[in-house]
Amino acid sequence: MTTRYVFDFAEGDKDQKALLGGKGANLAEMVKIGLPVPPGFTITTDACRVYLKTGAAPAELAGEVTEHLAGVEKAMGRTLGDPSDPLLVSVRSGAMFSMPGMMETVLNIGLNDQSVQGLAAIAGERFAWDSYRRLLQMFGKTVLDIESHEFESLIDAMKAARGAKQDLELSAADLQELVAQFKGVIERETGSPFPQAPRAQLDAAIEAVFRSWVGERAVLYRRQERISHDLGTAVNVQTMVFGNMSEDSGTGVCFTRDPGTGEKGVYGDFLMNAQGEDVVAGIRNARPLHELEGESPAAYRQLLDNMARLEAHYKDLCDIEFTIERGKLWMLQTRVGKRTAAAAFKIACQLVDEGVIDDDEALRRVTGAQLTMLMFPRFDKSGDVTTLTKAVAASPGAAVGRIVLNSTDAAEWAGRGERVILVRTETNPDDLVGMIASEGILTSRGGKTSHAAVIARGMGAPCVCGAEDLLIDFAAKTVTVAGDGGVVLREGDLVSIDGATGEVFLGEVPVQASPVVEYFEGAIDPATAQDDLVTAVHRLVTVADARRRLAVRANSDNPEDSARAVRFGAQGIGLCRTEHMFLGDRRQLVEQLILAEDEAGRAAALDALRPLQQGDFEGIFAAMDGKPVNIRLLDPPLHEFLPDLTSLSVAAAVAEAKGEQGTVDAHLLAAVHRLHEANPMLGLRGVRLGLTIPGLFAMQIRAILSAFTAHKARGGTGSVEIMVPLIGDVRELRLVREEAEAIARELGFEPGAGTEVSIGTMIELPRAALTAGQIADAADFFSFGTNDLTQTTWGFSRDDAEGGFFSAYLDKGVFPVSPFETLDATGVGRLVRLAVTEGRETKPGLKTGVCGEHGGDPESVHFFHTAGLDYVSCSPFRVPVARLEAGRAAIMAH
Ligand code: ADP
Ligand code: MG
Ligand code: MG
């Protein structure tokens, strides 16, 4: 079967996003359910991938385009670029995942020096020349790579010459003059005239859209959103309809529910006598959708009807782009709309209550990433705050920072470690770098559908839009707040913006915990909560708890964190690091232990440490009463507890030069020298410490078990898991196990899997994973230390790589996201699966968990679910996210 590269809108449906892109698939779906869509066809992502790979469109494409174009021409009764009555088309990008504004669109293809006359005869001079002007501008920028400034400065000059403030005030003759100038720019910049042949325009625009997939903005956006660079975009070729043809034409964007709160209603913006991008670009201030009723009542009624049909059909919030041409409504785009995190939870529950979806579907529609956002703090306005203005609440969250007025500065200031708020009139795709660098975004124009708003919501960055009170002077780098004695802010001044309310405050406003966190803390009772967000989170986390197979534990090494973890729903501790307990005042004792020259000195240090450790553990057992507590024996290289070799050597050399004796302890210097390692992460650490420093692990094991005995004596319950780090071979584990069992028996415990006291190991070296079948013989449980396992599997140092070459690797697409953030399922994950499988072959039912940072990462949680682990463990704050994702993993795994 030969590959087909082109499909008519009437052929596809919404489930073909991979092939037709989201826009193409949804256009097809709208045709399928009978909504008015201008006819057209979609060129598949397959064709784009061929283009990206070979540098040329597949040979068959031209013929298929001809065939489908003929179909559209027949349906419309006009031909592309016909001199007397031209069919015009748009060429629109559209990838599998929505990348709003990241790629290119060219409108009005088919206009040239002849057909512009034909169009003028039919639809008016002004309109025709304006359309041609737009084509030259978009084609010049997108297809021919000419700086948009080249065109914009000519428009500005023309407006200045005519004393016009708005584009609309330019006459047909002015626009005709601009067309001549634009053609001049194109010829000057490219050395060839603007292509007059309609089909040549079309083919060039299609290729330009293919190329826009690898444009800088698009690449950066995909990196942010973790979208694979391999997918490619589809291209939609569609009959043009004109919102700028007359006073009874217009264009707009709308949502079936408020994307900020989930409230049902009429939400959107429109402009009369304007073409598509004018609304999104915020060129003119758009009007609220309900006012359309007065402008174009029939189209308005039909739009509301179509909105209702789309929501019922998609069973979800949809966003919609429409255009009205001389009173007739056309649907140009729809998709399941992006929404804020709060709206996602609320809408999911509303749809359950409306009987549209069930609980499982509701759970599928919210994510751990969204829950994370809801746990961010908000402003505490109880003190003295100065409100500068209130504008559109475009993307929720509280942000404080210094104002900067352009993206380059934002990136530069942030690079120096400053928190910045990017303040712009409006943003455009070139601002992406600055937006990413900023804590928050503030614009003086545009609404909820403006570029700034859409992108900020996608990034989870707080954003306030359309603050018309702010007069920005880019040259003077000041922002003046309108009104009597208006405040003048300068670049670098602190402001606080609340993207949930639209408020902008002077200076730094203190922040307070989110209600969602208060709910998890137990401070808000979900049964009586006023806040429907709290109720929605409670409902969906409860559903997740009922569905999930993975248990969720926390990483904690003190009683306070442990108690919080329990409030957040942790079912035990998955990793208690003991090294933190060796810091502070106790460093001295550790130093003594390391420096001890004989048995007696070592014993003295250990004897002093043991009761202190025991006290630590008793506190944790109390906080975790009734639950399993997994404690890892000492792991880090010992020299971490000693002074730095270089500074100590320098101090010694200086002392010697000055002839001073005894300022630097010779013992200490010798020990530091002895323990110095070129590669400490691969050196004397983990179980290697236990096997080389006599008495160290024994002391810890004794402290743990004595603490547990004391806990039980107070009526406490629960279980202890003693975990040996950095095992590479079963013999290492056996040696520690023998020692541990002896101490356990002495203290009255019989250790083993599933009992009060168990002894197991971390699997964090490839050799451990590869020999897991043997290791399981001596282990009561496995816990995957995925940080070290990632480090040792890839062979890069976590501490150095992330700051170093990782950004180049991310840019080049070696991986879409740091493997320390999301588990590398293909490589590291394969070791995890192997170890689980072979471990359980040796010991059926072997308990397995994960205790690296990955335990709280949504995507990784799904992997651990499918790999068959028993639990994940993460930082206390991420426990709710892990609970939610574990539930989602359970219902999505089939
Ligand atoms: P994006 O993916 O950036 O939203 P679109 O492909 O939706 O880009 O195009 C941008 C705008 O161009 C649309 O919002 C729409 O208003 C306008 N547009 C695209 N195709 C047509 C068309 N066939 N007729 C009229 N306007 C169009
Ligand atoms: Mg669009
Ligand atoms: Mg480790």
Side-chain angles (χ1 to χ4, degrees), residues 786-805:
T786 50
N787 299 342
D788 267 309
L789 191 58
T790 299
Q791 177 160 260
T792 51
T793 300
W794 280 89
F796 39 53
S797 151
R798 171 171 199 211
D799 299 326
D800 305 324
E802 289 207 82
F805 59 85

Side-chain angles (χ1 to χ4, degrees), residues 199-265:
R199 181 57 195 268
Q201 295 172 5
L202 177 62
D203 290 339
I206 290 170
E207 286 203 6
V209 171
F210 286 158
R211 275 199 307 276
S212 70
W213 176 256
V214 286
E216 206 179 317
R217 278 189 270 132
V219 171
L220 192 62
Y221 183 84
R222 287 199 293 274
R223 215 178 112 178
Q224 273 281 312
E225 299 293 312
R226 301 184 179 188
I227 297 172
S228 160
H229 295 308
D230 305 333
L231 298 172
T233 180
V235 183
N236 302 289
V237 177
Q238 185 173 31
T239 304
M240 282 300 302
V241 290
F242 296 99
N244 56 336
M245 194 177 252
S246 57
E247 289 302 325
D248 63 344
S249 303
T251 186
V253 190
C254 57
F255 300 91
T256 56
R257 285 166 198 257
D258 184 337
T261 64
E263 245 46 79
K264 238 180 168 170

Side-chain angles (χ1 to χ4, degrees), residues 632 635 685 726 762 764 785 788:
R632 179 175 71 182
D635 181 52
R685 52 176 290 226
L726 219 73
M762 296 191 70
E764 54 184 339
D788 267 309

Side-chain angles (χ1 to χ4, degrees), residues 609-633:
L609 279 167
R610 189 163 47 86
L612 300 174
Q613 281 255 281
Q614 182 173 333
D616 298 329
F617 296 137
E618 284 182 32
I620 292 171
F621 287 135
M624 277 284 153
D625 189 28
K627 301 184 171 60
V629 174
N630 177 311
I631 300 171
R632 179 175 71 182
L633 300 177

Side-chain angles (χ1 to χ4, degrees), residues 293-305:
E293 185 165 20
E295 296 283 351
S296 192
Y300 179 74
R301 272 194 306 279
Q302 203 195 342
L303 179 64
L304 290 195
D305 191 45

Side-chain angles (χ1 to χ4, degrees), residues 255 258-260 269 285-286 389-397 441-450 452-454 456-457 462-470 497-504:
F255 300 91
D258 184 337
D269 303 306
N285 267 321
T389 185
K390 183 166 176 174
V392 180
S395 174
I441 297 136
L442 172 60
T443 69
S444 58
R445 271 201 221 153
K448 277 194 178 167
T449 52
S450 68
V454 173
R457 282 200 294 275
C463 176
V464 173
C465 280
E468 293 171 27
D469 290 351
L470 303 183
I497 65 169
D498 188 335
T501 61
E503 289 163 300
V504 182

